[in-house]
Amino acid sequence: MKNGRSSRLFITLCLSPAVILFIVFMVIPTINVFKMSLFKWGGFSPNKEFVGLNNFRILFEDQRFYQSFQNTLLLLILVTMITFLFAILFAAILTQEKIKGANIFRIVFYIPNILSVVVIAAIFSAIYDPKNGILNSFIRLFRPDQPDILWLGDQKIVIYSLVAAMVWQAVGYYMVMYIASMSSIPKSLYESAGLEGAGKITQFFQITLPLIWTNIRTTLTFFIISSINMSFLFVQAMTSGGPDGSTEVFLSYMYKQAYTNSSYGYGMAIGVVIFIFSFALSAVVSAVTKREPLEF
């Protein structure tokens, strides 16, 4: 009895700092965001006008908000699909025993993850440069008459230019995580499958993928939520939401409303919608990807 009470006291003392930090830096700011979304306020003036849900009424009639919503969804879907496809594919290739220099490839793929977004944005802005960029120079080798392509200036393709930069930044990190998961799978499972006539592709879908599914599911939820924040950083560093709002995303639109247009209350209303969207998206992804865990 005494030992049980001491154990609970020890656990409480260990968890207390984390709980206090969570309340101070997460719960209280979130409540304040909900509260401020009900006011018309410039952000610096002491005068705040309570407007109830009027900010949300304006929000749902705002076409630029819907455009930022569509751009955010498009980025999330494309970046997530391409990143995870390449991360799993590269991890599967680099865990093969016959690959020479696999460790060098792992380091090379991981390097973009340790670079800041500003550096990556500068690299890709140089690549996309219409006159002197590598991409247009390469295209001119095969099509000399090809007009300069405005990778960051054409509304039809600029969003895909951002996708390429975001994927390049993220693939290495998730590839390393899946390599760790795949390396822990016993070789005997593959040897048994090989003796029964299963090829490499069959082994991948019947053994590798099911056994690392829990890891994929966890990282997928984490990646989607973090991509909402990352999309803001890439947009700010590469396009500032342009041209003509074609790369505006949730957070960049909220930032402009709160800090550029001095509509702080309206910006917080957008923040509330982003919070609810992120929470709902996490729940949907978690439910859709739920599988019976397999063990070995």
Side-chain angles (χ1 to χ4, degrees):
M1 187 73 176
K2 194 173 182 180
N3 287 338
R5 191 179 302 167
S6 299
S7 178
R8 285 195 294 273
L9 179 61
F10 177 75
I11 294 172
T12 303
L13 289 174
C14 290
L15 291 178
S16 294
V19 173
I20 292 171
L21 289 173
F22 179 75
I23 292 172
V24 171
F25 292 106
M26 284 295 298
V27 176
I28 295 177
T30 302
I31 292 173
N32 279 333
V33 168
F34 276 81
K35 179 182 173 185
M36 293 311 305
S37 67
L38 304 177
F39 287 84
K40 183 180 180 181
W41 186 39
F44 298 101
S45 168
N47 300 321
K48 300 177 187 175
E49 180 186 352
F50 181 77
V51 294
L53 298 176
N54 192 52
N55 283 329
F56 293 94
R57 183 189 63 77
I58 297 172
L59 176 65
F60 291 116
E61 295 174 355
D62 187 346
Q63 294 303 315
R64 297 301 289 259
F65 171 75
Y66 284 113
Q67 186 179 15
S68 71
F69 179 74
Q70 291 172 358
N71 291 336
T72 304
L73 272 184
L74 183 61
L75 277 177
L76 286 179
I77 293 170
L78 290 179
V79 173
T80 302
M81 288 178 62
I82 298 172
T83 298
F84 277 70
L85 178 65
F86 279 109
I88 295 171
L89 177 64
F90 291 154
I93 293 173
L94 292 178
T95 48
Q96 298 296 313
E97 294 178 355
K98 296 179 181 178
I99 299 294
K100 293 183 179 179
N103 288 333
I104 296 175
F105 284 113
R106 294 178 191 182
I107 295 171
V108 170
F109 278 115
Y110 191 76
I111 286 175
N113 190 257
I114 62 177
L115 298 176
S116 76
V117 171
V118 176
V119 173
I120 294 173
I123 292 172
F124 272 83
S125 295
I127 292 172
Y128 292 144
D129 187 276
K131 293 293 182 184
N132 304 312
I134 297 174
L135 204 52
N136 276 354
S137 300
F138 181 76
I139 292 173
R140 287 192 203 101
L141 290 176
F142 302 95
R143 301 183 64 181
D145 299 331
Q146 171 70 41
D148 292 336
I149 300 175
L150 304 176
W151 298 100
L152 297 178
D154 188 335
Q155 294 185 30
K156 295 179 181 177
I157 61 175
V158 63
I159 196 85
Y160 305 105
S161 301
L162 290 177
V163 168
M166 293 178 68
V167 169
W168 188 75
Q169 188 267 344
V171 163
Y173 176 78
Y174 291 94
M175 181 198 74
V176 170
M177 295 190 72
Y178 297 143
I179 285 176
S181 297
M182 291 178 186
S183 299
S184 65
I185 299 174
K187 300 295 181 188
S188 57
L189 293 177
Y190 295 105
E191 292 170 356
S192 301
L195 290 174
E196 293 177 4
K200 293 292 183 184
I201 296 176
T202 302
Q203 291 177 23
F204 174 77
F205 284 104
Q206 296 297 326
I207 298 175
T208 307
L209 208 54
L211 289 177
I212 68 167
W213 185 255
T214 302
N215 191 12
I216 293 176
R217 184 180 176 226
T218 304
T219 53
L220 182 63
T221 305
F222 171 76
F223 179 77
I224 290 175
I225 301 306
S226 64
S227 291
I228 295 177
N229 295 326
M230 293 302 293
S231 63
F232 167 69
L233 298 176
F234 275 96
V235 165
Q236 287 296 100
M238 295 180 69
T239 64
S240 298
D244 196 24
S246 55
T247 57
E248 199 78 83
V249 292
F250 267 162
L251 289 176
S252 63
Y253 190 59
M254 183 193 78
Y255 180 85
K256 285 180 180 176
Q257 291 298 327
Y259 301 105
T260 304
N261 297 340
S262 297
S263 302
Y264 195 79
Y266 185 55
M268 294 305 100
I270 298 173
V272 169
V273 173
I274 295 172
F275 175 82
I276 295 171
F277 172 78
S278 303
F279 189 80
L281 189 60
S282 301
V284 169
V285 171
S286 181
V288 170
T289 58
K290 189 175 182 180
R291 300 283 189 280
E292 193 68 29
L294 296 179
E295 297 180 353
F296 51 83

